[in-house]
Amino acid sequence: FNTANTDYYRPIYHHTPLYGWMNDANGLVYKDGEYHLYFQYNPYGSKWGNMHWGHSVSKDLIHWEHLKPAIARDTLGHIFSGSSIVDHNNSAGYGKDAMIAFYTSASDEHGQIQCMAYSNDNGRTYTKYEKNPILTPFDGLKDFRDPKVFWYEPAQKWYMIVSADKEMRFYSSSNLKDWEYLSGFGKGYGVQPNQFECPDFIQLPVDGDKNNMKWVMIVNINPGCMFGGSATEYFVGDFDGKEFKCDTKPEVTKWLDFGKDHYATVCFSNTGDRIIAVPWMSNWQYANATPIRQYRGANALPRELSLYTKDGQIYMAANAVKETEALRKDTRNIDDFAVKGEYKIDEIVPQTDGAYELEMDVTPDKAQVVGFDLLNAKGEKVKVYLDMKEGKLVADRTESGIVDLARHGEMNVHEKETDDHRKTMSVNYKNDFALGTWAPLSLCEGKTYHLNVFVDKCSVEIFVDGGRIAMTNLVFPTQPYNTLRFYAENGEAQISNMKIYKLGL
Ligand code: FRU
């Protein structure tokens, strides 16, 4: 594992594999002071293929130690996405507190089937269950994958939710090996993708009130993102141990993140009251063509999820975990200022390596538009602004640097694959990348908006009002953005309590 970094765009403080390809976070589980992050991994190249479960561990969700791949591809096929649990009661018979992983084996020959493997050495190595698979689709579905297993207290049983083409299916089990079908949910709900992927099912208090718990189904859809490609939606409702009932009408869609690079988001198990999610920071439209060679794929910052009420509806906030505060190496306080026309901060961080956080309160007052450009000396920029007429927060990367990923993709090792991929997906990498994403400001309380903006080499993650809006986007500037140009239109806006943090591990 002595792999020196050779990629300019490798993030400083986000999790990436040392080499090889990474997509979805898998098997997220906390045990004995360690967060385990397994992930869809190709150890043989920086494009999708040969799927294994890669493995990293962390004590604080920020500093990651890279370990050997934990589960390797076998004769049942690729090791696709899934989850892990700590078997506190020895339900499966592999010992008290054994770690058990559930994944999809995928091959043309056997289709998509659910399998399990157990570990008695704190998740370092796994033994596959000799009678795999543990679950196959009763109706021969082609798309049947990404099992998430969780303990359902009222029934004193393990439950599994699996994405099954146009719906999610619930199963229950006492021994983690024999699974009984309960129900399906999802047909006709939210934005309908080709098929659902990577579901999760979590319970959270509404507005912090533990007497008012709600179930949330997280599902990842591809395509279906408002801005094209992959995205994460969620449904809030109730669960009676058999069926999930969504609070809202089928046509209502709630998004967990309003950027274009947020996918396959699932949560850690065994973290008590905290629900912590990890999104993969890319989009299937162009994930294989990003201007990176040695490795490909990064995870967005881990996020803590919570439910809040707005206008009689329950929404889920996703805020960067508080552990990210330990990344702050240097703090610069900026005096409060008014923006009328333009206001510039010339050096965000002296000699920046492109890793920093901006924190501020933005009060638009009478301004109809207020925002800032993250700029570099070449004029490449990301525009972040509040459009009060439209009621939108916008992050626009049209002029952010390298946007024609196809052209750059030609530098990729597997050129042919890129061409084929381009044809089959009928993707226009430039148009799919060079765009703005937006979120409705109605999710916030209004008047003043609290922004935390994390920049890390090739990403801009925006959190507004503790994650009521989360917006995650990749960007490829040819040198770091190091100027902030604030502007306001049709009126004066106020920026207060602003801080710039240099971030590092
Ligand atoms: C989502 C996904 C999963 C699948 C995995 C394969 O990004 O398509 O549904 O298990 O990736 O790598």
Side-chain angles (χ1 to χ4, degrees):
F1 288 132
N2 182 15
T3 312
N5 178 43
T6 59
D7 267 306
Y8 173 72
Y9 289 114
R10 189 187 286 276
I12 307 282
Y13 58 86
H14 284 79
H15 172 264
T16 54
L18 289 179
Y19 61 90
W21 160 275
M22 175 174 83
N23 56 292
D24 318 357
N26 297 152
L28 299 172
V29 61
Y30 180 74
K31 182 174 189 278
D32 298 336
E34 276 183 335
Y35 292 94
H36 292 265
L37 167 53
Y38 301 96
F39 47 88
Q40 284 292 278
Y41 186 50
N42 180 3
Y44 307 119
S46 48
K47 292 199 169 218
W48 189 91
N50 312 301
M51 297 327 283
H52 290 49
W53 273 24
H55 190 197
S56 300
V57 288
S58 173
K59 291 186 166 50
D60 60 4
L61 293 165
I62 295 301
H63 298 86
W64 294 99
E65 186 191 338
H66 296 280
L67 300 176
K68 290 198 186 108
I71 306 181
R73 209 199 133 111
D74 56 31
T75 50
L76 289 178
H78 293 290
I79 310 297
F80 271 11
S81 291
S83 56
S84 300
I85 54 108
V86 178
D87 190 4
H88 293 300
N89 302 326
N90 195 16
S91 309
Y94 299 122
K96 187 176 153 34
D97 292 339
M99 282 170 74
I100 306 191
F102 299 86
Y103 58 88
T104 303
S105 287
S107 67
D108 289 343
E109 193 186 345
H110 303 287
Q112 299 189 349
I113 51 184
Q114 316 320 319
C115 294
M116 75 188 267
Y118 62 93
S119 170
N120 293 121
D121 59 358
N122 281 325
R124 270 40 180 192
T125 59
Y126 281 83
T127 306
K128 288 167 184 153
Y129 175 44
E130 67 281 5
K131 293 193 189 132
N132 275 335
I134 50 167
L135 182 65
T136 56
F138 52 74
D139 50 2
L141 276 184
K142 194 167 99 1
D143 292 297
F144 184 65
R145 58 179 182 267
D146 310 338
K148 168 74 186 202
V149 173
F150 58 97
W151 178 252
Y152 183 65
E153 188 67 28
Q156 293 290 300
K157 276 186 175 178
W158 293 101
Y159 276 55
M160 184 193 285
I161 177 170
V162 191
S163 62
D165 196 17
K166 299 273 188 275
E167 63 178 2
M168 267 55 64
R169 288 183 184 162
F170 287 101
Y171 296 81
S172 72
S173 173
S174 297
N175 62 6
L176 293 162
K177 294 170 178 162
D178 303 306
W179 292 90
E180 184 194 343
Y181 173 72
L182 297 170
S183 66
F185 171 86
K187 277 192 184 135
Y189 275 83
V191 170
Q192 293 285 298
N194 279 348
Q195 76 252 350
F196 288 110
E197 299 184 323
C198 303
D200 206 336
F201 200 58
I202 53 177
Q203 205 185 17
L204 280 167
V206 180
D207 300 316
D209 176 4
K210 291 205 172 132
N211 295 316
N212 184 15
M213 300 295 285
K214 278 284 186 181
W215 283 96
V216 183
M217 189 186 291
I218 297 175
V219 294
N220 290 277
I221 60 170
N222 182 42
C225 176
M226 286 202 281
F227 317 108
S230 351
T232 310
E233 57 182 349
Y234 64 90
F235 303 102
V236 181
D238 297 307
F239 188 61
D240 60 6
K242 187 166 173 13
E243 275 176 31
F244 175 68
K245 289 225 163 53
C246 183
D247 280 358
T248 46
K249 294 205 180 88
E251 56 272 23
V252 175
T253 301
K254 295 175 179 171
W255 301 104
L256 191 52
D257 189 285
F258 292 85
K260 205 170 160 168
D261 298 290
H262 177 280
Y263 197 57
T265 303
V266 284
C267 306
F268 278 95
S269 89
N270 206 33
T271 49
D273 287 347
R274 280 185 93 187
I275 304 282
I276 302 164
V278 178
W280 172 52
M281 194 157 58
S282 199
N283 188 307
W284 279 117
Q285 277 185 334
Y286 45 71
N288 277 279
T290 50
I292 290 165
R293 304 180 70 139
Q294 182 182 30
Y295 76 97
R296 206 177 257 110
N299 283 310
L301 289 175
R303 286 137 198 230
E304 182 143 2
L305 306 182
S306 60
L307 295 178
Y308 67 97
T309 316
K310 180 77 208 296
D311 302 329
Q313 285 261 357
I314 301 170
Y315 294 97
M316 191 153 65
N319 203 16
V321 291
K322 63 178 185 318
E323 284 87 341
T324 54
E325 288 172 16
L327 293 167
R328 296 172 178 171
K329 296 302 171 227
D330 230 350
T331 304
R332 182 172 157 202
N333 290 295
I334 307 286
D335 290 340
D336 295 356
F337 58 95
V339 199
K340 198 178 172 186
E342 208 178 285
Y343 185 99
K344 248 184 177 177
I345 296 177
D346 273 324
E347 216 176 26
I348 299 177
V349 172
Q351 278 130 27
T352 188
D353 53 6
Y356 50 82
E357 177 190 350
L358 310 172
E359 183 171 34
M360 69 188 91
D361 289 318
V362 180
T363 310
D365 272 347
K366 297 216 164 58
Q368 292 193 342
V369 178
V370 52
F372 54 84
D373 290 347
L374 281 168
L375 257 178
N376 67 17
K378 292 187 170 174
E380 296 166 348
K381 57 174 179 264
V382 181
K383 291 160 46 172
V384 178
Y385 57 93
L386 310 185
D387 183 333
M388 303 314 292
K389 284 178 306 213
E390 302 271 328
K392 286 176 177 175
L393 166 79
V394 181
D396 187 335
R397 65 181 180 190
T398 313
E399 300 167 74
S400 57
I402 296 172
V403 292
D404 190 349
L405 304 191
R407 192 162 53 82
H408 204 92
E410 250 125 56
M411 284 173 52
N412 291 332
V413 201
H414 312 288
E415 244 176 75
K416 182 145 180 310
E417 213 176 294
T418 306
D419 283 342
D420 289 349
H421 188 76
R422 211 178 291 159
K423 268 182 238 136
T424 53
M425 304 284 289
S426 63
V427 164
N428 181 323
Y429 288 122
K430 183 167 180 193
N431 292 347
D432 288 328
F433 196 83
L435 42 66
T437 70
W438 63 268
L441 287 171
S442 57
L443 291 171
C444 303
E445 293 297 352
K447 285 240 181 310
T448 294
Y449 301 86
H450 186 78
L451 265 63
N452 291 83
V453 180
F454 291 83
V455 179
D456 189 7
K457 283 277 191 189
C458 65
S459 62
V460 178
E461 277 162 288
I462 304 171
F463 299 94
V464 186
D465 289 356
R468 285 185 175 214
I469 295 173
M471 190 182 278
T472 304
N473 283 301
L474 291 176
V475 287
F476 298 104
T478 57
Q479 54 176 249
Y481 308 117
N482 206 14
T483 298
L484 266 173
R485 192 186 71 89
F486 283 87
Y487 53 90
E489 289 170 17
N490 305 92
E492 188 175 297
Q494 310 297 323
I495 306 295
S496 43
N497 307 313
M498 180 168 171
K499 292 186 180 66
I500 298 174
Y501 306 102
K502 177 181 161 52
L503 299 188
L505 286 177

